[in-house]
Amino acid sequence: MNYTDLLTEAASKGLTVKEKCLQAYDGRIKGNHIAIRRGIPATKKACILAEELGHRYTTYGDILEQCSIEEQKQEQRARLWAYNKMIGLQGIVSAYRNGYSSLHDMADFLEVTEEFLSEALNRYRGKYGCYATIDNYIIYFEPYLAVMELYI
């Protein structure tokens, strides 16, 4: 899913997305308005917009300060929502099936930044442990990322 697709989705949900000269953050959501930092690459904008949409769907209140455990958990929920929206286990398998195995190539294929992909893989490792299964595939997160097709 790319930036244009996410903009379309946001509009369909009644959200207004504008690019602005933000100083402290790359993205911010308030009510039905999302601001994205102007002047950054479209791939990074997509990752930021996905996270802001994640906040829209999974969090409540102002959690900018991250002072409480609950606020930190809300931030993690929003990020996981974004990782699943932009990548997901199916995206990892799809990249593998298309011949992409390096972090750089997978990120390009999935239209996300390498940093976003790396953070997603770390989060998936924390959530699933050493591996996860989906359809006829096993995705190994330890000791390194690997995808194996199961033949049944």
Side-chain angles (χ1 to χ4, degrees), residues 86-149:
M86 298 296 291
I87 302 166
L89 296 179
Q90 194 62 52
I92 296 168
V93 169
S94 182
Y96 163 78
R97 291 183 69 199
N98 282 279
Y100 301 106
S101 58
S102 75
L103 192 68
H104 175 78
D105 291 342
M106 286 181 76
D108 281 348
F109 175 76
L110 296 167
E111 299 184 78
V112 298
T113 65
E114 286 183 52
E115 178 183 19
F116 188 85
L117 178 58
S118 181
E119 290 169 359
L121 293 172
N122 285 334
R123 181 65 173 96
Y124 292 152
R125 184 179 302 112
K127 180 177 180 177
Y128 298 110
C130 294
Y131 68 92
T133 59
I134 183 167
D135 300 329
N136 290 335
Y137 294 89
I138 298 176
I139 302 169
Y140 289 97
F141 301 109
E142 296 287 340
Y144 51 84
L145 181 64
V147 179
M148 295 180 64
E149 187 172 3

Side-chain angles (χ1 to χ4, degrees), residues 4-134:
T4 303
D5 296 335
L6 289 169
L7 287 171
T8 301
E9 179 177 326
S12 75
K13 302 292 184 185
L15 301 170
T16 303
V17 179
K18 292 198 177 187
E19 295 182 22
K20 297 186 172 207
C21 293
L22 299 176
Q23 299 299 318
Y25 302 98
D26 287 334
R28 181 86 199 264
I29 185 167
K30 187 171 184 181
N32 289 335
H33 302 281
I34 298 174
I36 303 292
R37 182 188 303 268
R38 180 180 291 137
I40 57 179
T43 301
K44 186 170 182 177
K45 285 180 194 176
C47 297
I48 293 163
L49 181 52
E51 184 177 334
E52 296 308 319
L53 289 171
H55 283 293
R56 170 71 174 179
Y57 300 132
T58 67
T59 65
Y60 56 89
D62 184 353
I63 63 168
L64 285 175
E65 298 301 319
Q66 302 285 305
C67 294
S68 72
I69 299 267
E70 180 56 34
E71 289 172 342
Q72 293 168 14
K73 286 180 180 180
Q74 286 189 66
E75 180 67 29
Q76 290 306 311
R77 277 195 301 271
R79 287 186 182 176
L80 181 59
W81 188 96
Y83 299 147
N84 288 335
K85 182 74 171 176
M86 298 296 291
I87 302 166
L89 296 179
Q90 194 62 52
I92 296 168
V93 169
S94 182
Y96 163 78
R97 291 183 69 199
N98 282 279
Y100 301 106
S101 58
S102 75
L103 192 68
H104 175 78
D105 291 342
M106 286 181 76
D108 281 348
F109 175 76
L110 296 167
E111 299 184 78
V112 298
T113 65
E114 286 183 52
E115 178 183 19
F116 188 85
L117 178 58
S118 181
E119 290 169 359
L121 293 172
N122 285 334
R123 181 65 173 96
Y124 292 152
R125 184 179 302 112
K127 180 177 180 177
Y128 298 110
C130 294
Y131 68 92
T133 59
I134 183 167

